[in-house]
């Protein structure tokens, strides 16, 4: 594959401008100072989870690998950098042949994470690594925020299907990445056709209120829809009067009617009434789909209601209150000279103010108790203790500039279910709390 | 122009898949029922502003016009729809020649809006209009949310420059649109090179903590940066000890040092100390840039501090607590037959549950008092009262499928400043409140 994974039905030649200008000015200054070739290790981690959240979900890793592979400089990009005098000629020359040649290790996509987890590690020369900061963080911070919300919603939904339908509430390409992240987090399908096109996520959708309003009567609209989509379709029953619409729906489609959708009102109450009415009409297998500003709490509150599927929009694509993660990309070690054999020295910001970090290249392992339940995220910089060697979390993603870890999205989804399932049960309670396992520094 | 405006340095052949599946299934059913050609009016509006906000900001209109123009079906898109059996063959045939041929009127970009404001009006056949729902809402809901946050921050900053630096906290293309929306809302520049490339927004950036940590000492790092970027550069002074860094910075760069940046700690306190130190060192013209999880409240709290520019990231690209707007796209009128001369009839959802709306094609005007200060948003469906004829808000954007209202982003930015300036003063107070003017229905 040779296309940056933006979720577009089009080739994107380069991701090199999804970059903050300071990465280029640092490059230029380091090239001139002779420090650009110092071997360096950057790590992505977060100092905290969003308030009250019990775990994070790594998502976007697959997109990061594509972005790294497609980070290069064609004539158009170089022309822009030259024309706006963003870097000097020697730097432009250096950029013209840029390809990332280093290594990337990280938590596999779908894995859970905690404060301090070294989610991604990028190693190479300072010059080649420093340029990747923004594009890597954009992808991971966005996609992981959506996946975390999706995971909570999926846990709240139990086994009931979840439909992602938030495209209209976020940027058109953020929407595509959101569908992908929602699928990783446990959603079942999406309304977004671009996500179906790009990622093969199952797509669904039948009709809106506009379709009912277009026709001379609700009956006309239902007849038109059933004639076109069959009796297995989902009829939207809350344009005028719900009880009347349900009666009309079953008259028009018969008791084989696939589903009805309720998009407003007191969903708990209306779902019960509609279920009873459908059963009385003999449409006992007709399902009930609810949509209307749902979040994980609303989903959980409907657990006892006769609801067969949830459609979630706004709260999914906005991360249910936490639309971004606070992942940072920090230099944690570097050589003191450009000699490739020079040893790495840990480095870290030291000033006061809460933004300090721990230097050194880190390993991570998740310690489990005798029952296999996770009990701590262990992060260290020295040798890995033998008892944790088999529980390490980081895998090789890019080796010498080549992506080595592409995988199907369904594998990622399965991994997330397994990783979440190995956490203490309280991880999936919706009550606010601390991270469900502590992070220990070895 | 013939490229959808996604903020990409690449041509996007079509926006047709940024669409929820139900738009296609409604199209198919309406084609079959013979109702697809009924003349229809859809309107974009919002039932409420985000809690506590006093006004909204229309942004993304320019991107919407491009999206409408580029909404068409090439072989790849049609192949996807066929392969996944999303629509039938007659519908695919209809789509193959799709071009929007209708009219779009709307609030000009940069204008402010209130609950019920008919922000955009799309008129044509049901078939051609219904397909545009998702892509229009994606753009307007995202871009307007960012612009609203930007506008509040710009008001709080007074005349001080605002740098948009949130790319790392949101999807890589959402970031580009965010830079654009931030500029509309009053920001001065961006760190995001893709936004500079795509929209010509001024870009800025110098260095991160990694650059200091790469070098053997802070002095080495400052020397490297000044050698490369000149003494007018901005040195980051909070990697180790701020006071020592400021001293070193002025020693290295001289009193011509352009600026220092503070990215952590108690910004109010540190800014005062740094200003005093710079002045004592003779660097009286060296500016102070602060960055560190700023929002409009933090910016306002620094009004009395010796701060010369603000860099804003997370809170800007997440809409400062409101990452999306609640704009909807509703059928408000349609003809009762496919006859192009058939009169339009108002339609509206009627069920209980808070999602009702007002039918009919609407005009809007902003009534002002004797001093020219806005006093009401007036929305109506009948004839426009003569006294409001000169104060109408909607302009023609697309006429018979042709975009007629492209304009430079600087004009949009100026329009926003003027529109906000004509609101009552309390609009730009940060305290929570009701919309600063009421919406009246004529």
């Amino acid at each position: 594959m040779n296309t940056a994974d933006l979720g577009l039905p089009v080739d994107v030649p380069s991701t090199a401008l999804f970059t903050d200008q300071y990465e280029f000015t640092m490059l230029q200054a380091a090239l001139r100072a002779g420090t650009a070739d110092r071997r360096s290790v950057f790590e992505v981690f977060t100092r905290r989870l969003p308030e009250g959240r019990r775990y994070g979900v790594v998502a976007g890793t697959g997109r990061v690998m594509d972005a790294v592979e497609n980070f290069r400089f064609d004539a158009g990009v170089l022309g822009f950098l030259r024309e706006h005098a963003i870097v000097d000629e020697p730097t432009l020359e250096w950029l013209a042949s840029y390809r990332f040649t280093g290594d990337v290790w990280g938590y596999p996509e779908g894995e859970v994470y905690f404060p301090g987890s070294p989610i991604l590690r990028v190693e190479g020369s300072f010059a080649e690594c420093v340029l990747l900061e923004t594009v890597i963080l954009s992808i991971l911070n966005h996609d992981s925020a959506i996946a975390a919300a999706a995971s909570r919603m999926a846990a709240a939904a139990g086994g009931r299907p979840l439909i992602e339908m938030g495209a209209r509430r976020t940027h058109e390409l953020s929407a595509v990445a959101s569908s992908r992240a929602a699928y990783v987090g446990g959603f079942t399908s999406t309304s977004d056709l671009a996500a179906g096109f790009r990622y093969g996520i199952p797509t669904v959708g039948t009709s809106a209120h506009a379709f009912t309003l277009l026709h001379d009567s609700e009956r006309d609209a239902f007849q038109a829809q059933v004639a076109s989509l069959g009796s297995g379709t989902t009829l939207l029953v809350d344009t005028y009067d719900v009880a009347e619409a349900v009666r009309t729906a079953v008259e028009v489609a018969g008791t084989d009617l696939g589903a009805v959708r309720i998009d407003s009102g007191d969903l708990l109450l209306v779902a019960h009434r509609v279920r009873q009415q459908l059963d009385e009409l003999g449409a006992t297998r007709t399902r009930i789909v609810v949509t209307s500003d749902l979040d994980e709490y609303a989903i959980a509150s409907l657990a006892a209601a006769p609801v067969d599927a949830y459609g979630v929009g706004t709260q999914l694509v906005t991360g249910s209150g936490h639309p971004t993660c606070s992942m940072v990309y920090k230099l944690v070690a570097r050589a003191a000279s450009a000699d490739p054999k020079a040893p790495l020295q840990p480095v870290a910001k030291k000033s006061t103010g809460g933004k300090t970090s721990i230097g050194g290249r880190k390993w991570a392992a998740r310690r489990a108790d005798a029952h296999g339940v996770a009990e701590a995220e262990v992060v260290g910089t020295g040798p890995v203790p033998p008892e944790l060697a088999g529980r390490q979390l980081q895998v090789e993603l890019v080796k010498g500039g080549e992506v080595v870890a592409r995988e199907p999205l369904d594998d990622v989804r399965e991994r997330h279910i397994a990783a979440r399932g190995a956490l203490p049960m309280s991880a999936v309670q919706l009550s606010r709390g601390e991270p469900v396992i502590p992070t220990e520094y070895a």
Side-chain angles (χ1 to χ4, degrees), chain A residues 17 27 35 79-80 100 125 130 138 141 145 173 177 224 228 240 252 327 377 395 404 419 422:
Chain A
L17 288 182
L27 168 67
T35 49
F80 169 77
F100 179 71
S125 73
V130 75
S138 289
N141 272 322
L173 281 161
S228 172
Y240 304 111
V252 167
M327 291 181 197
E377 191 86 340
V395 299
V404 295

Side-chain angles (χ1 to χ4, degrees), chain A residues 277-308:
Chain A
Q277 190 185 2
L278 285 169
D279 289 347
E280 286 169 4
L281 293 168
T284 53
R285 285 167 307 169
T286 299
R287 290 171 302 118
I288 297 176
V289 182
V290 296
T291 59
S292 186
D293 286 335
L294 297 177
D295 61 10
E296 61 268 46
Y297 303 99
I299 291 167
S301 76
L302 291 166
V307 164
D308 300 286

Side-chain angles (χ1 to χ4, degrees), chain A residues 40 50 90 92 115 125 191 278 303 324 359 372 385 391 411 422:
Chain A
S40 296
L92 289 169
S125 73
S191 63
L278 285 169
T324 187
R391 311 230 6 124
D411 293 1

Side-chain angles (χ1 to χ4, degrees), chain A residues 46-56 113-115 326 435-436:
Chain A
T46 175
R47 296 186 181 93
R48 59 186 181 282
L49 297 180
E51 206 189 326
R53 290 283 178 88
R54 317 300 300 266
Y55 61 97
Y113 72 85
F114 299 92
S326 51
V436 72

Side-chain angles (χ1 to χ4, degrees), chain A residues 286-373:
Chain A
T286 299
R287 290 171 302 118
I288 297 176
V289 182
V290 296
T291 59
S292 186
D293 286 335
L294 297 177
D295 61 10
E296 61 268 46
Y297 303 99
I299 291 167
S301 76
L302 291 166
V307 164
D308 300 286
Y310 304 95
V312 186
T314 308
Q315 292 302 319
L316 185 276
V317 298
T318 57
S320 198
H322 300 292
T324 187
C325 305
S326 51
M327 291 181 197
V328 293
Y329 181 88
K330 293 293 173 190
L331 181 68
V332 296
R334 48 86 182 145
S337 80
D339 180 347
K341 287 183 189 140
L344 287 169
Q345 300 175 342
V347 294
K349 180 175 185 303
K350 297 236 172 62
S351 79
T352 54
K355 282 191 179 175
T356 54
S357 47
I358 297 170
R361 177 166 56 183
K362 296 173 198 70
W363 54 263
R366 192 161 299 144
R367 199 174 66 231
D369 67 15
H371 306 286
V373 177

